[in-house]
Amino acid sequence: MGAGLDRLYRIRLDEAGLPGALFEPDPPADTASSVCAGEEPPPGGGRPPGVLVERALERIAATDGEIRAWALVDDEGARAQARRAAGGRLRGVPVGVKDVIDVAGMATGGGSRHLSGPGRTRVPAADAGSVARLRQAGAVIVGKTTTHEYALSGITPPTRNPRDTARIPGGSSGGSAAAVAAGHVPLALGTDTGGSVRIPSAYCGVAGLVPSPGRLPGDGVLPLAWSLDRVGLIAATASDLTGSAVALGITAAADARARPAGFEGLRVGVPRGALDEPIDPGVAAAVEQALAAVRDLGGRVVEVEIPHGWAAVAAGLTIILAESADYHRERRGPGLEELFGADARAMLGLADGIPAGAYVRAQRVRQALRGEALAALAGADLLVTPTMPCVAPRADEVGDGMVPVGGKEVPMGEAHLRYNVLANLAALPCGTQPLGADHRGLPIGLQWVAAPGRDGALLSAMTTFASHGR
């Protein structure tokens, strides 16, 4: 962290206060007036609600002993919900909810011993806003999916990647991504602070969406870093993701529909240096092929400049660590510290070394990065990058906090945040979709980023690419 902070201080900034991005109102809504509006098919294909739920429960019972994507499964509660299922575009669709998001009557464990055990269990009386939105759309909450402790890292022990159970699913929404990839549920909620929806979605070969701030409620969620956290969706495909986003009122169906003319007239921006090493050769080749497909479909691929994009990882880590340390300060006294796992203690120990001035500096750099990202999006309709510079590493490769990327060992935080955290810092909608696999059959992800409030355009590009580009 020390060298990264030194580099932040070398960026020349205008004299200004804390970033206005923290305090901006929600973008103007282009959402549907009803969660039942729109034409995109929802996940589940309209089958009877009881059938969908029973299949989900059977699949979980058959395979989760190995994958371990679930912290809690409410079989009887899910069946009761299915019997009561009324209208809504997600009627009877079984859904998993990351275990940092409140579901009324279900314990919110946060992957932590702090929230389990006598006198410590947290059972909320009310649903988080995002869960209430799911219920309004007719979805059935099957249970809580695993998370890294308080979402503090990009791994999700003990969950394994359904594509190769010797490998990690990523995190911290690893349980949600694994549950979707394993076919347990067609849709799951996650949270994303620096990539925690997109990282596991890419590693597990599924699709993820982080909407514009304000498009999906953020209340009722255990925070990681309050100024960056957002709730997001994970689904098997871009089409399922789009149907779910329409059902939840995140965007209108007309805005998210696949483009009949492909990418004709669309400018797709690639940040300069996006494919620089270190990067797995298979990832770089897959993204080059994706860009060729965009051109073949009439799109114009343009290089864009984000001059201080290199600073996003250091600024993002500084903010995440500092805000996490503040949130957990009351859990670190005598008799409490040992309730944290070793890696969570290590993360919070790093946070102890961050001076207040460095946090303020990182927030000011954040504002500069937002301006640069918006300038890039003024010259392009969407930005595209790899989601991850590597495929999912084996569980035995990450014990020392390093990840193999392009034949080199890279700190996990650097590898996981490299392409992802800028969209959080700049408060931009973003998504990832499957981009085939490498020579070992391991999934690769393609990330799309849009201007604030352009969630529909983002999903339209993803569904267009899925239906025409691959």
Side-chain angles (χ1 to χ4, degrees), residues 397-403 409:
E397 293 176 321
V398 300
D400 60 355
M402 305 294 283
V403 176
E409 290 292 311

Side-chain angles (χ1 to χ4, degrees), residues 261-420:
F263 288 109
E264 190 69 41
L266 201 72
R267 300 166 301 166
V268 176
V270 180
R272 180 176 296 173
L275 299 181
D276 286 355
E277 295 181 351
I279 188 170
D280 283 359
V283 172
V287 174
E288 291 284 13
Q289 291 171 7
L291 296 175
V294 169
R295 293 187 188 97
D296 290 344
L297 288 164
R300 183 157 64 94
V301 176
V302 298
E303 186 178 74
V304 298
E305 184 75 31
I306 302 177
H308 294 101
W310 57 264
V313 171
L317 276 174
T318 300
I319 293 168
I320 290 168
L321 289 172
E323 293 185 3
S324 296
D326 178 68
Y327 175 65
H328 290 292
R329 68 191 184 280
E330 294 180 357
R331 298 182 184 89
R332 301 185 66 196
L336 295 174
E337 187 85 18
E338 62 270 19
L339 293 176
F340 284 113
D343 51 352
R345 285 198 303 271
M347 289 283 286
L348 294 171
L350 283 175
D352 290 338
I354 296 175
Y359 173 76
V360 174
R361 183 70 176 187
Q363 290 286 12
R364 294 182 63 203
V365 169
R366 174 186 183 178
Q367 181 73 349
L369 287 168
R370 176 176 165 86
E372 291 178 2
L374 292 177
L377 283 163
D381 298 293
L382 295 159
L383 305 181
V384 67
T385 71
T387 310
M388 297 296 297
C390 57
V391 294
R394 296 195 312 269
D396 60 8
E397 293 176 321
V398 300
D400 60 355
M402 305 294 283
V403 176
V405 181
K408 300 180 180 179
E409 290 292 311
V410 176
M412 183 183 291
E414 181 180 326
H416 283 183
L417 300 185
R418 176 175 168 184
Y419 296 115
N420 290 297

Side-chain angles (χ1 to χ4, degrees), residues 132-153:
R133 191 85 66 89
L134 282 170
R135 293 199 198 276
Q136 183 185 2
V140 173
I141 311 303
V142 171
K144 307 296 288 293
T145 56
T146 55
T147 176
H148 186 275
E149 186 174 8
Y150 286 110
L152 274 166
S153 182

Side-chain angles (χ1 to χ4, degrees), residues 74-345:
D74 183 17
D75 299 64
E76 291 310 310
R79 292 186 177 104
Q81 290 175 69
R83 289 192 294 271
R84 298 192 301 267
R89 285 185 49 79
L90 297 180
R91 179 175 180 262
V93 172
V95 176
V97 175
K98 182 178 180 179
D99 197 22
V100 295
I101 304 172
D102 284 348
V103 175
M106 289 188 193
T108 301
S112 176
R113 289 186 295 166
H114 280 280
L115 296 176
S116 62
R120 297 195 300 268
T121 302
R122 181 175 185 271
V123 181
D127 288 331
S130 55
V131 173
R133 191 85 66 89
L134 282 170
R135 293 199 198 276
Q136 183 185 2
V140 173
I141 311 303
V142 171
K144 307 296 288 293
T145 56
T146 55
T147 176
H148 186 275
E149 186 174 8
Y150 286 110
L152 274 166
S153 182
I155 60 175
T156 311
T159 307
R160 296 302 180 122
N161 192 319
R163 307 299 186 192
D164 179 349
T165 54
R167 296 177 183 271
I168 68 168
S172 60
S173 304
S176 288
V180 172
H184 295 168
V185 290
L187 177 66
L189 288 186
T191 59
D192 193 299
T193 305
S196 287
V197 161
R198 290 160 287 160
I199 295 162
S201 293
Y203 276 173
C204 293
V206 294
L209 172 70
V210 184
S212 292
R215 294 299 178 91
L216 198 57
D219 62 287
V221 179
L222 299 178
L224 171 56
W226 64 268
S227 72
L228 297 174
D229 293 344
R230 274 182 273 171
V231 176
L233 307 178
I234 297 175
T237 66
S239 178
D240 279 355
L241 199 64
T242 299
S244 301
V246 171
L248 296 175
I250 291 169
T251 193
D255 296 327
R257 192 174 298 123
R259 297 163 57 98
F263 288 109
E264 190 69 41
L266 201 72
R267 300 166 301 166
V268 176
V270 180
R272 180 176 296 173
L275 299 181
D276 286 355
E277 295 181 351
I279 188 170
D280 283 359
V283 172
V287 174
E288 291 284 13
Q289 291 171 7
L291 296 175
V294 169
R295 293 187 188 97
D296 290 344
L297 288 164
R300 183 157 64 94
V301 176
V302 298
E303 186 178 74
V304 298
E305 184 75 31
I306 302 177
H308 294 101
W310 57 264
V313 171
L317 276 174
T318 300
I319 293 168
I320 290 168
L321 289 172
E323 293 185 3
S324 296
D326 178 68
Y327 175 65
H328 290 292
R329 68 191 184 280
E330 294 180 357
R331 298 182 184 89
R332 301 185 66 196
L336 295 174
E337 187 85 18
E338 62 270 19
L339 293 176
F340 284 113
D343 51 352
R345 285 198 303 271

